[in-house]
Amino acid sequence: MDIVLLVKAAIMGVVEGLTEFLPISSTGHLILAGALLGMDDAKAKVFDIAIQTGAIFAVILVYWQKIRATLIELPHQRQAQRFALNVVIGFLPAVVLALIFGKLIKAHLFTPEVVASTFILGGLVILWAERRPPTATRVYSVDDMTALDALKVGLVQCLAMVPGTSRSGATIIGGMLLGLSRKAATDFSFFLAIPTLIGAGVYSLYKERALLSLADLPMFTVGLVFSFLSAWVCVRWLLRYISSHSFVPFAWYRIVFGVVVLWTAWSGTIAWSG
């Protein structure tokens, strides 16, 4: 058993768990961390996607009461049926566009210029969204969302197919701009992440199964566990944070990190590759 490899897997798991649900994009952080740790080959790219499942287990745990109640009430309770349908509606656009454009995006958009640009642009959008006059909030709870609300947030989520955009950032800020309260937008972003990230992880493991063997199981297990633990801490913290704070600090972080991405690429510190 390679202890050094397991330590690297744990570090990558922590990076994934801490960045997946904050509006700062896990993609750029995983690319940088993977390059610094020497985990940037084809198998490591599968690992990066697979450990997202650990982070999703943290969301399931935090929201277990809501998920359990929905499953129990689904056969006979209209509100539960509407909520479940909204999650499906929000999930579908990403599935369709990923199947159509996934290969093109991986081939052409995983460059430092694109990642840095989306980091910086995303930061500027957050600053604009937080400083503009308050939008008339229509939706204060995920249970009050309509199918059209869910579809709009699902379409916004598709922006995260461009690396560096941030899935959570797109859905939370996008939801707020569409009239959802900060809490409702954050909650729906987390619920939408469950099928989106589990689906991406399972699909990636299946598609790249030829690269993997039983010898990789300890590395993937450690990554999943540390992703779960760090995401659990992060999600609980974020839900407390949004009750009294804005996303402005994350905006400035994105802008600074975008500059760091460009510097590492132009200086040759990090060998960026698709």
Side-chain angles (χ1 to χ4, degrees), residues 82-83 86 139-151 153 180 184-185 188:
R82 185 173 68 173
F83 170 69
N86 283 345
V139 180
Y140 292 90
S141 167
V142 291
D143 291 326
D144 299 327
M145 291 178 64
T146 66
L148 184 57
D149 290 326
L151 178 60
V153 175
L180 277 64
F188 193 68

Side-chain angles (χ1 to χ4, degrees), residues 126-134 248 252:
I126 292 174
L127 288 176
W128 170 75
E130 290 286 10
R131 293 179 180 180
R132 68 196 292 268
V248 168
W252 288 113

Side-chain angles (χ1 to χ4, degrees), residues 53-124:
T53 308
I56 283 302
F57 287 152
V59 170
I60 293 173
L61 179 61
V62 171
Y63 285 96
W64 176 242
Q65 288 187 332
K66 172 67 174 176
I67 294 171
R68 180 176 178 273
T70 300
L71 293 174
I72 292 173
E73 297 167 356
L74 195 58
H76 53 80
Q77 223 271 359
R78 190 171 182 82
Q79 182 174 295
Q81 293 167 357
R82 185 173 68 173
F83 170 69
L85 180 61
N86 283 345
V87 173
V88 173
I89 290 172
F91 168 60
L92 286 178
V95 175
V96 174
L97 292 185
L99 291 175
I100 297 173
F101 299 111
K103 289 184 179 179
L104 286 174
I105 289 171
K106 287 184 178 180
H108 300 290
L109 296 186
F110 276 78
T111 67
E113 291 80 13
V114 170
V115 173
S117 297
T118 51
F119 260 98
I120 294 170
L121 180 60
L124 294 175

Side-chain angles (χ1 to χ4, degrees), residues 161-218:
M161 294 175 63
V162 180
T165 301
S166 171
R167 192 207 62 83
S168 59
T171 50
I172 294 173
I173 301 300
M176 290 169 57
L177 293 175
L178 292 169
L180 277 64
S181 69
R182 191 183 302 273
K183 179 69 164 59
T186 303
D187 286 344
F188 193 68
S189 173
F190 287 157
F191 286 120
L192 201 53
I194 295 174
T196 301
L197 298 188
I198 288 179
V202 171
Y203 177 71
S204 179
L205 285 173
Y206 174 77
K207 192 173 75 167
E208 306 294 346
R209 61 191 182 280
L211 291 173
L212 308 175
S213 67
L214 279 177
D216 299 314
L217 187 59

